[in-house]
Each structure stands twice: as C-alpha cells, then as structure tokens.
Amino acid sequence: MKDNFNRNIDYLRVSVTDRCNLRCIYCMPQEGIKFVPHDEILRYEEILKIIRIATTIGISKIRITGGEPLVRKDIVSFIERLSKIQDIKDMAMTTNGTLLKKYAKDLYEAGLKRVNVSLDSLDENKFKTITRSGSLKDVLEGIEQAYKAGLYPIKINVVVMKGINDDEIEKFARWSMEVPYQIRFIEFMPIGQNNWEKELFISGEEVKQKIENTVGSLIPVEIKKSGPAEYFILEGAKGLLGFISPLSAHICTRCNRLRLTAEGKLRPCLFSDREIDLKRILRSGASEDEIRQILIKAIQLKPQSLSDNRPLRAMSTIGG
Ligand code: SAM
C-alpha cells in the first residue's frame, strides 16, 4: 500500500521483546531500565494475527527484532508459525548473535531466511566495553553457524562511533576480503537517552573516505532490495561493504516500513514518538477490519522525513 508520499509500504519490523542480554553503550543504559511487564507484551498469537491482517494490505516483508529476539521463549516455534503465513515473501531477524550458535540451524529449519547481526568491534576487549558484557567469540561462532545453516545473506551491522570503534573501520573493511558477508556501517543515531554526542558522530561519507585512503577503492554494487543501504565491493573481496546513513543522507524517500513494538504500539516512523496503541484495540475485541483500518491509518501517518526531535524511547524498546 502507498503512503501519502507515494512510498510503497510493504515492510513490518516486529519487536518481540524489550529484553536484551547485552547493554550496548549506544543503545541502553547499564542500569535502571524499566521493562514492560510480561502481560503487557504482545502474545505470539496476537503478533501473528496482526501480521496476517497486515499481509492483506500489502505487507510482505517481516523482520523480527527486539530487544534481543533470541531471548524470548519459544522463538523458534513462533518463527515456524510465522513462516506459514501466506504472502510473506521475506522473513529476517536482527540479533546480537550471542545465541545464534544455539539457534541458527533450528531457525533456518523453521523457515527464517536471513539474519542481520550487530557487531561493533572485532577486538574482544573493545567488544566487551561496547556491549558491557558480551563475548566476541560467541558472536563470531554464531555468525559462522548461521552461514553454515543456510541463512543468507548474512548482514553485519556496525554502528560507528568516533573515538570508540572508528579505529576498526579498516579492519572491518579488510574482513570483507575474507568473508562472504555484507558488512554495513551505520551512522550513530540520537535515540532515547543513549550516549549520543556530536563529537561521537562520524558520517557514512567519512567512513568511506577512511576505507578508500587505507584499504582501496570502493566499487559501487547495485543490489535489488537494498533498503536504506548503499553497497560497494573492494576488488577481489568475498563480501560487500554497505553504508546506512540515516542522519547525513536522505533515506526517508526510500522508507517502506512500519514498526510494531513489543507492547503493541504501531510506530509509523523511527524518529517520531507518534504511536498507535494497537494492543489496546486488539484486546478490546476489535474485528479484523478494524485492525486493518488502524494499520492503514499508521501508513497514512508516516511523515515525509524525519524530524529534528530526538525520539524519547531507546532503540531496544522500539525495535531496531
Ligand atoms: N538485539 C538485536 C541486535 O543487537 O541486533 C536487535 C535490536 S537492536 C536495538 C537493532 C539494531 O539497532 C542493532 O543493529 C543496533 O546496532 C542498532 N542500534 C541501536 N541503537 C542505535 C543507535 N543509537 N544508532 C544506530 N543504530 C543503533
């Protein structure tokens, strides 16, 4: 379905939990997080019902996210039920990868097509500093398992922060020579009460320049369904390098998505705190058609471009 700015909205990102087993410095505070009570989180049946209705207005791509989706109980059987919904053409997951070693094969067999893994450092100590607890080894093993299981393509998301991990841009770029993954550099965004400061920001263009100065020329690559990312390849590389620049580039013109938070709020735009309480409507016994109308309304409420306001909620509670 088209929104008011002629964008085709066919993509729903669904957060299945606000819980996470990491505390990345750019995403969540270390302590004092108020999690949504369990009975306020959408049940799997409710999510499946919303997705089924969403497919009737043209949603055909689903991404499961969180929080950390793999910490939610029975996630594999949920994926299996999701994969049976007709008209879903693409079903992906965004994960921090810590539990992928355990789940990759089961997820693939349940019908998941692909994963995006967040990985902001290739150095064990720095990885611990950024995630405040995680193990790099677990994530790297998880990525390998995902690749072996057949989840394809594997996308690696790197949030680049000046003075924190920008010294690893070259290392990540060289990694693309060896691994068949799409390694994407993402601009650090001011979302919620995270530690965003102008001094930490480094634009996609600056990252590209660093790679061209230290590793080699970036050759543009056209990929179908590339979403907000721009892709390049280094000569002879097995993998690709991508750039997602929500702050410095005008990616809103290509925005095709709605978000559903873990507690059932429909969010037309990541950068706007405007939300529709779909769970309240769903739990009040609304008909399928009433729910469909709410989804249509959310599409119509999508703003043309992001506002200058800093969204109040952390990415982990919206579903990145
Ligand atoms: N736990 C999963 C994970 O780590 O991928 C899914 C949720 S996480 C909130 C989704 C994505 O949002 C991750 O790739 C993460 O790096 C990104 N993210 C979170 N906060 C961000 C920020 N302030 N700027 C840019 N990306 C951010």
Side-chain angles (χ1 to χ4, degrees), residues 162-229:
K162 209 176 245 170
I164 296 183
N165 62 350
D166 60 332
D167 58 337
E168 291 194 57
I169 292 170
E170 188 182 332
K171 210 191 299 175
F172 273 109
R174 291 193 191 281
W175 198 37
S176 77
M177 301 298 294
E178 299 158 29
V179 292
Y181 311 144
Q182 298 180 9
I183 301 169
R184 295 130 42 102
F185 298 98
I186 302 178
E187 286 179 351
F188 181 25
M189 298 181 278
I191 296 184
Q193 303 309 304
N194 66 358
N195 295 312
W196 193 90
E197 287 170 34
K198 236 200 329 260
E199 290 65 36
L200 293 175
F201 179 76
I202 169 160
S203 71
E205 268 316 306
E206 287 174 86
V207 176
K208 273 187 215 162
Q209 273 310 314
K210 266 196 174 215
I211 295 173
E212 297 224 300
N213 292 342
T214 56
V215 190
S217 295
L218 289 166
I219 306 158
V221 177
E222 281 297 328
I223 301 194
K224 253 202 201 163
K225 298 194 273 181
S226 63

Side-chain angles (χ1 to χ4, degrees), residues 20 26-27 65-69 94-96 116 118 120 157 159 186-191 194 315-316 320:
C20 190
Y26 57 84
C27 185
T65 180
E68 172 49 40
T94 300
T95 169
N96 61 33
N116 289 12
S118 306
D120 308 302
N157 289 342
V159 176
I186 302 178
E187 286 179 351
F188 181 25
M189 298 181 278
I191 296 184
N194 66 358
M315 191 79 150
S316 63

